[in-house]
Amino acid sequence: MTINFSKKWIKITLHILVWVVLITLPYIINVNRSRPPHPISSYDENQFLRLNFISYFYWIAIFYLNNKVLIPSFFYKKKYLWYGLSFIGCLLLAITIHSVLFRILLPNFDFNLARTLWFNTPTFLLTIAASTAFTMISDRISEEKRALQREQENMKTELSFLRSQISPHFIFNVLNNIVALVRLKSNELEPTVMKLSGLMQYMLYETDEEKVSIKTETEYLQAYIDLQKQRFGKKVVIETNIDIESEFDEIEPMLLIPFIENAFKHGVGMIEKPQIFVDLKTEDELLTFTVRNKFSEDENEVKDAASGIGLANVSRRLNLLYGKDHQLEIEKKDGWFNVYLTLKLTA
């Protein structure tokens, strides 16, 4: 609120300064208007200067009348006839005010309508043109700002929605881990539950931030992979290589986990000698991420309703957040499902 208030006063101050310059400039350079061609007394000279000075204020009034009322009410609504009539009415009003002031300030001179029109019409047209240009440019800038704000708000909303879709998928995997360990009556159940608790805390609280450190994110990935290793034991070959150059680099939270979740979701089960490889490396604020897993090419393989949701969401998030600063390739080749991702990190 304070920032908006300050910007408002800065804008008003700039308007005032511009008008002060425009009003005083003719007197600084000694340009005189609406003056008879023959010599006049110093008193009448001052009266003409006073008339010219006062006339600036109704030109200012016409400028803002056109800016605040005529253009929004008539021009933008395509009521061009009404705008034209208002245009002529403003000119007649200005000439009327000028004639009244002329007779009050210069009673010794005869008012000449033709000469008044000759001197004031160009100024009137210039005022209207400047007001119209100012209004249209200002409104265009304001509309572009509003469009940008709407786009940013829509992006935030969409990112929150996409992230919320990923979270339930992760919870299902967590529950599967617990069930598997309970059935095995493993001694690792208690420390595993504690580790799962830490992962859930990260997912529910720390991911509210726009960015997290790459170190925090990779610790989360490694913990998830360790839990999967406990679940599958020697049934699945799991190889992980994580090499972080700088732990101060930042990344969008929960951005990489869907690829690993997908590998465990579709890379185990009815697959001969299942294997999963995860390779993550950062260098010069560039992240290179690869996930490879064997998959079944059996078209009759039963897939659940959530199949593919995670990858579709993360692809959408990457486009929204990183745009041209990332490259994602997903391919199925020779019984392998391969994901290759590169993206520019922030420090």
Side-chain angles (χ1 to χ4, degrees):
M1 184 72 179
T2 304
I3 294 176
N4 292 335
F5 184 78
S6 299
K7 287 182 178 179
K8 181 179 179 181
W9 276 106
I10 290 173
K11 185 176 180 180
I12 292 173
T13 303
L14 287 174
H15 277 250
I16 293 173
L17 289 175
V18 169
W19 284 114
V20 167
V21 171
L22 291 177
I23 290 173
T24 57
L25 187 62
Y27 302 95
I28 294 174
I29 62 177
N30 197 27
V31 175
N32 301 310
R33 304 180 308 135
S34 304
R35 179 187 303 176
H38 50 80
I40 58 176
S41 66
S42 60
Y43 172 79
D44 290 331
E45 170 80 16
N46 291 331
Q47 291 299 84
F48 271 107
L49 290 175
R50 188 173 289 110
L51 175 63
N52 290 336
F53 180 81
I54 295 173
S55 69
Y56 276 104
F57 290 95
Y58 54 79
W59 296 134
I60 292 174
I62 289 174
F63 181 97
Y64 289 109
L65 177 66
N66 185 58
N67 168 249
K68 300 296 184 182
V69 179
L70 301 185
I71 291 181
S73 300
F74 302 129
F75 192 84
Y76 282 163
K77 295 180 179 180
K78 298 183 179 180
K79 298 179 180 179
Y80 300 124
L81 177 60
W82 284 104
Y83 182 75
L85 292 174
S86 301
F87 181 91
I88 296 172
C90 287
L91 176 59
L92 294 177
L93 178 63
I95 296 301
T96 301
I97 294 173
H98 186 85
S99 66
V100 172
L101 292 173
F102 188 94
R103 290 184 172 91
I104 293 174
L105 297 173
L106 297 160
N108 298 326
F109 290 87
D110 294 329
F111 176 76
N112 188 309
L113 179 61
R115 191 169 184 273
T116 299
L117 286 171
W118 174 261
F119 278 100
N120 287 279
T121 300
T123 305
F124 172 80
L125 294 175
L126 181 61
T127 301
I128 292 294
S131 175
T132 302
F134 171 81
T135 304
M136 290 185 173
I137 293 173
S138 298
D139 290 347
R140 179 64 181 271
I141 292 173
S142 298
E143 180 57 34
E144 289 179 352
K145 286 183 179 179
R146 286 192 294 269
L148 180 60
Q149 290 173 349
R150 287 195 297 267
E151 184 178 350
Q152 290 173 341
E153 290 301 319
N154 291 339
M155 180 181 292
K156 289 179 181 178
T157 302
E158 186 170 2
L159 287 173
S160 298
F161 175 71
L162 294 176
R163 188 183 296 175
S164 70
Q165 285 186 302
I166 293 172
S167 299
H169 192 190
F170 170 77
I171 293 173
F172 293 144
N173 287 333
V174 167
L175 294 175
N176 286 334
N177 283 343
I178 295 176
V179 170
L181 290 172
V182 169
R183 287 176 178 174
L184 293 172
K185 298 181 180 180
S186 173
N187 293 330
E188 296 295 323
L189 180 59
E190 183 176 348
T192 298
V193 170
M194 295 299 294
K195 184 174 286 188
L196 289 174
S197 175
L199 294 180
M200 295 293 291
Q201 182 179 2
Y202 173 80
M203 184 192 72
L204 295 174
Y205 298 107
E206 295 189 37
T207 56
D208 287 338
E209 301 294 330
E210 291 185 4
K211 299 281 187 179
V212 295
S213 70
I214 189 66
K215 181 177 182 292
T216 302
E217 183 73 2
T218 53
E219 287 176 350
Y220 162 71
L221 297 179
Q222 187 63 64
Y224 177 84
I225 294 171
D226 290 343
L227 289 174
Q228 294 289 15
K229 286 181 178 180
Q230 287 183 349
R231 176 186 175 189
F232 293 106
K234 296 181 179 180
K235 296 178 182 179
V236 181
V237 175
I238 303 172
E239 293 187 12
T240 306
N241 178 42
I242 297 178
D243 182 13
I244 303 300
E245 181 184 61
S246 172
E247 62 183 47
F248 298 106
D249 290 335
E250 293 185 329
I251 190 172
E252 171 79 9
M254 302 287 288
L255 191 64
L256 305 178
I257 188 63
F259 298 113
I260 298 178
E261 285 185 325
N262 187 75
F264 282 102
K265 183 178 180 62
H266 302 287
V268 298
M270 303 302 292
I271 298 174
E272 184 180 356
K273 296 181 179 180
Q275 299 178 57
I276 297 174
F277 300 96
V278 177
D279 184 87
L280 189 153
K281 181 179 180 181
T282 65
E283 186 176 5
D284 296 330
E285 297 184 0
L286 183 68
L287 179 143
T288 304
F289 182 60
T290 303
V291 180
R292 303 178 68 243
N293 65 273
K294 282 189 173 182
F295 76 100
S296 174
E297 296 186 1
D298 184 2
E299 295 181 356
N300 296 321
E301 180 186 5
V302 177
K303 296 183 179 180
D304 58 55
S307 179
I309 289 180
L311 293 188
N313 285 348
V314 76
S315 178
R316 177 62 177 158
R317 289 176 68 199
L318 283 165
N319 287 327
L320 287 171
L321 292 165
Y322 292 93
K324 295 180 180 180
D325 290 333
H326 89 283
Q327 184 174 355
L328 175 64
E329 296 181 12
I330 300 176
E331 66 173 9
K332 293 180 179 180
K333 185 177 182 181
D334 300 329
W336 285 87
F337 188 90
N338 305 309
V339 174
Y340 306 101
L341 171 67
T342 59
L343 60 84
K344 185 71 173 176
L345 299 172
T346 57

